[in-house]
Amino acid sequence: MSTTPRLPYLDKTVPEAWKALNALALKVAAAAEAAGPERETIELMNVRISQLNGCSYCLDMHTRPAIEAGATVQRIAQLPAWRESAVFDSVECAVLDVAEVTTTLPDPQARGEALAAARQLLGDETFAAVEWAAVTMNAFNRVSILSEHPVRLRS
């Protein structure tokens, strides 16, 4: 058993910041909905970002809405290998590319090339909405990881 004291939950310790992050998430979700990517695509992006960040809490939280939005277990299982998989269309691949670039921040040239290709396919409005959605998901991942939010078994 660890003698290190548990870290504080960021959302409970500074609830005003948590409320502001949630307000941002609502604005970003509305922008994404207005810009056109399917809800399933955004939820698959959220799952992929959470996989990359190793955020078990957010993986648990976003897998259910992804399935409710139409994602299959097969497609969710294929997310780590989406570039090699034939189960994602070109828009989904562009969104997943934005998600990975936003999360991993590769070197500027690779980042620029990937984002330019996604922007060309998605168009400016959808591209910006997807980027904001990825930035926001990454922020939620950081809060959950740093707060060590537990995942509880569901029956």
Side-chain angles (χ1 to χ4, degrees):
M1 182 176 214
S2 175
T3 59
T4 305
R6 212 207 143 286
L7 295 171
Y9 291 126
L10 291 173
D11 50 333
K12 306 281 190 254
T13 306
V14 185
E16 301 80 19
W18 180 248
K19 287 177 188 172
L21 182 57
N22 278 290
L24 171 65
L26 291 173
K27 294 284 187 189
V28 168
E33 186 176 328
E38 298 290 325
R39 183 79 217 141
E40 176 186 354
T41 304
I42 296 298
E43 288 301 339
L44 287 170
M45 179 190 75
N46 290 338
V47 171
R48 183 63 187 135
I49 289 169
S50 299
Q51 289 172 336
L52 291 167
N53 287 324
C55 185
S56 64
Y57 185 84
C58 293
L59 277 167
D60 185 59
M61 178 181 287
H62 287 280
T63 299
R64 284 175 287 142
I67 291 169
E68 289 167 5
T72 63
V73 172
Q74 179 190 28
R75 285 166 50 84
I76 292 169
Q78 290 290 305
L79 282 171
W82 67 268
R83 290 179 196 281
E84 290 78 34
S85 177
V87 302
F88 301 102
D89 66 28
S90 61
V91 169
E92 291 165 332
C93 288
V95 169
L96 291 170
D97 213 7
V98 170
E100 289 195 2
V101 166
T102 304
T103 302
T104 63
L105 295 174
D107 70 78
Q109 182 177 345
R111 185 171 63 236
E113 289 170 3
L115 293 177
R119 180 180 174 200
Q120 183 175 4
L121 180 72
L122 298 173
D124 287 347
E125 186 179 353
T126 301
F127 173 76
V130 168
E131 263 194 320
W132 270 109
V135 166
T136 305
M137 188 67 233
N138 273 289
F140 278 110
N141 279 183
R142 270 39 176 198
V143 169
S144 290
I145 290 167
L146 294 171
S147 296
E148 299 176 347
H149 285 148
V151 174
R152 293 181 174 82
L153 282 174
R154 288 187 298 276
S155 41

